[in-house]
Amino acid sequence: MEVLVAVIAFAGAVLAAITTGVVVGRIREKPSGWLVAWGVTTGATCLSLGLIAVGQLLGYGVVIFRLFQITGSLAAPLWLAVGIAQLIARKPFPRFAAWLFGGALTGLGAVIMMIDPVTQTFTKEFPAADVFWDIWPEWLLRAVHIGVIGMLVIWLVIAVLRGRNGDDYDLDNMNATVALAPGGIAVAAALEFTLPGIVVVAAMAVTVGGVWFALARPLAPYEDEAEDAGAEQPEDGWSRRGARGAESRAEPSASASAPPRRSGLGDLVAEYRAGEQGDVDYAARMQPSDGFAARPAGPPAGQDAYGGGRGREYTMPPQAAEADRPAPQGGPEYTMPPGPSEHGRPQGGRPEYTMPATGTMLPGADPAAGVGAGMAAGMGAGIAGAAAASRGQGGSVRPSPNIYGLLTVFTLMDGAGDAFDKLAEETVEAVLRNEPDTLVFVCHSVKSAPLQRIVYELYRDEVGYTEHQRQPHMERFATERTALVLAANVIELSVNAAKVVPLPTAFR
């Protein structure tokens, strides 16, 4: 029996060492309180299982017994419970209380167990704590084990209740708690009731496996997605997880008045889903790369695709802007066929840009010949539908080569969806009123990912995009969303073919 316990203990120690390496790697990528606590758990469990293996083969002694009691009986289950409290708790007070509780008991218990006398003689048999300890270490360990069992049961119930009705964060945290709490309860109960050594060793190994499961398994699907995307697209220097066709970057940190940021496995999952592996200099991405001299420089480093916190205000008079704007490049093959004037304007002038971005029909406008044609003229593509048919002429789906587009995927903070949607709606209304060169500006929600929003934008040319960045409402959008957004992926677009019609709108 001693050899069997030693073999299981040695295998568990190896697993604990590997898991500790995984935890340390996660801490280096994204420091977090629950990761630190679980790192203490796996490290203490690794040491205690190694001591048990040595004691079962060579015999226990005072030093081995003391170290095992401090690491395996005290620190490992206690810091497992502290880590789960850091993972599940949403308020600062319970997290701070867990740190205080864990640190105080670990320090006090280690001092008591190092100086308390041990009088019994040891053998190769697994030592029972109540036989060798005096009253103070015995009752201290008893209080710790009962407290750990109670904490784990409470946090397990809370995690399950939140996970059943919550979002992806709550579901990931529930899975982690369900994997870890039963093992921690088993370890504390086995030590408290002095069960045989093989039961204690098996419970410790199961707990270490639960930690590995909680850290490694939730991230695996997103790693697979990154590999699939990398197989389809050539790799470049913009993503360290393989090219995904998008630059990944974190939003600027929220101010002190921002809502508290959730802590948990959901943070890691959301960042891996967004491909966040470090800041990317988006300004470098916007520099000219194809000899197009008119391409505007991107925003400076530290600012986002909308000009960051505060860009230059656009004070040019509308008449001057109209006269000085360079004419779009491209041959006549990309333009609308000649036809009668629309909305009382000469055919040779600038097209009508009053198409509302929301799809709202202007009073008295002909849906077939007015608003839809205005947007089509702006894109340089024909409307494949009633507008072309009513005039008896075919439309081209080949857009102007000067059209500039962006697709931005936002991953939101927990509970920030309504605030972001309200901000986006107000921004779209301002774009509709003030930006004739913004052809499309649409904010989408994602049915399968409640914390994601996708903003799709098309501009007449890059001059129009630059003017769009300078607008006060876009400065407000860029500033106020920083407290709501966890990460964002920005993808530059060009349009190969298009059909554009007004969108139906809901009555308010």
Side-chain angles (χ1 to χ4, degrees), residues 72-458:
S73 186
L74 175 65
L78 177 60
W79 284 96
L80 178 69
V82 171
I84 292 180
Q86 299 294 316
L87 179 72
I88 303 299
R90 293 179 177 176
K91 302 294 184 181
F93 177 75
R95 294 181 187 175
F96 174 77
W99 280 116
L100 187 63
F101 177 75
L105 285 181
T106 302
L108 178 63
V111 171
I112 292 176
M113 292 180 189
M114 290 301 294
I115 64 177
D116 194 76
V118 177
T119 58
Q120 299 293 329
T121 302
F122 293 95
T123 64
K124 291 185 179 181
E125 184 179 356
F126 186 80
D130 56 354
V131 175
F132 294 92
W133 283 130
D134 198 357
I135 185 172
W136 292 108
E138 178 185 352
W139 281 95
L140 175 65
L141 288 176
R142 181 165 297 171
V144 169
H145 295 158
I146 294 175
V148 165
I149 292 173
M151 288 174 60
L152 292 178
V153 170
I154 292 172
W155 289 120
L156 179 61
V157 172
I158 293 174
V160 170
L161 292 178
R162 288 180 182 171
R164 294 178 61 183
N165 302 314
D167 54 19
D168 291 341
Y169 287 86
D170 294 320
L171 183 60
D172 290 325
N173 292 346
M174 183 193 73
N175 292 336
T177 308
V178 169
L180 288 172
I185 293 172
V187 170
L191 292 169
E192 176 61 27
F193 296 107
T194 62
L195 298 182
I198 190 170
V199 177
V200 175
V201 169
M204 288 183 172
V206 168
T207 301
V208 171
V211 175
W212 176 86
F213 175 87
L215 291 177
R217 290 298 297 272
L219 300 183
Y222 308 112
E223 292 171 357
D224 293 340
E225 291 176 6
E227 293 172 2
D228 294 341
E232 297 174 1
Q233 301 177 4
E235 185 169 346
D236 56 26
W238 296 102
S239 175
R240 287 160 51 186
R241 296 175 60 84
R244 299 168 64 102
E247 297 80 22
S248 301
R249 57 179 175 82
E251 284 288 321
S253 59
S255 62
S257 61
R261 174 170 171 169
R262 290 282 298 281
S263 172
L265 282 174
D267 284 343
L268 285 178
V269 172
E271 291 175 13
Y272 273 78
R273 178 184 293 136
E276 182 180 63
Q277 289 293 302
D279 293 336
V280 174
D281 186 0
Y282 186 67
R285 179 66 167 153
M286 295 292 293
Q287 296 302 318
S289 59
D290 56 356
F292 181 44
R295 183 183 180 94
Q303 295 182 350
D304 60 17
Y306 298 99
R310 183 72 182 174
R312 291 189 295 116
E313 289 200 22
Y314 180 62
T315 57
M316 181 183 293
Q319 296 82 359
E322 186 78 11
D324 295 341
R325 178 182 291 111
Q329 302 296 321
E333 65 273 12
Y334 298 114
T335 60
M336 287 291 292
S341 62
E342 300 181 24
H343 303 292
R345 298 189 55 151
Q347 181 62 26
R350 285 176 60 85
E352 178 63 47
Y353 299 141
T354 55
M355 212 308 283
T358 60
T360 305
M361 295 293 108
L362 296 180
D366 180 4
V371 175
M375 175 176 276
M379 294 191 65
I383 299 284
S390 65
R391 291 191 295 267
Q393 57 189 22
S396 170
V397 298
R398 298 184 63 188
S400 166
N402 298 324
I403 292 176
Y404 181 76
L406 287 177
L407 181 71
T408 307
V409 181
F410 293 103
T411 301
L412 305 182
M413 298 285 191
D414 234 7
D418 292 340
F420 185 91
D421 292 341
K422 182 176 184 298
L423 177 62
E425 182 177 357
E426 295 172 354
T427 303
V428 170
E429 291 176 352
V431 170
L432 167 64
R433 293 191 302 266
N434 302 296
E435 299 186 26
D437 284 345
T438 300
L439 305 179
V440 175
F441 193 89
V442 184
C443 182
H444 304 264
S445 59
V446 182
K447 291 184 178 180
S448 60
L451 293 178
Q452 288 190 339
R453 298 294 185 272
I454 298 176
V455 176
Y456 175 59
E457 309 159 60
L458 287 181

Side-chain angles (χ1 to χ4, degrees), residues 48-62:
S48 64
L49 288 174
L51 293 170
I52 292 175
V54 173
Q56 292 293 127
L57 294 177
L58 304 179
Y60 291 91
V62 175

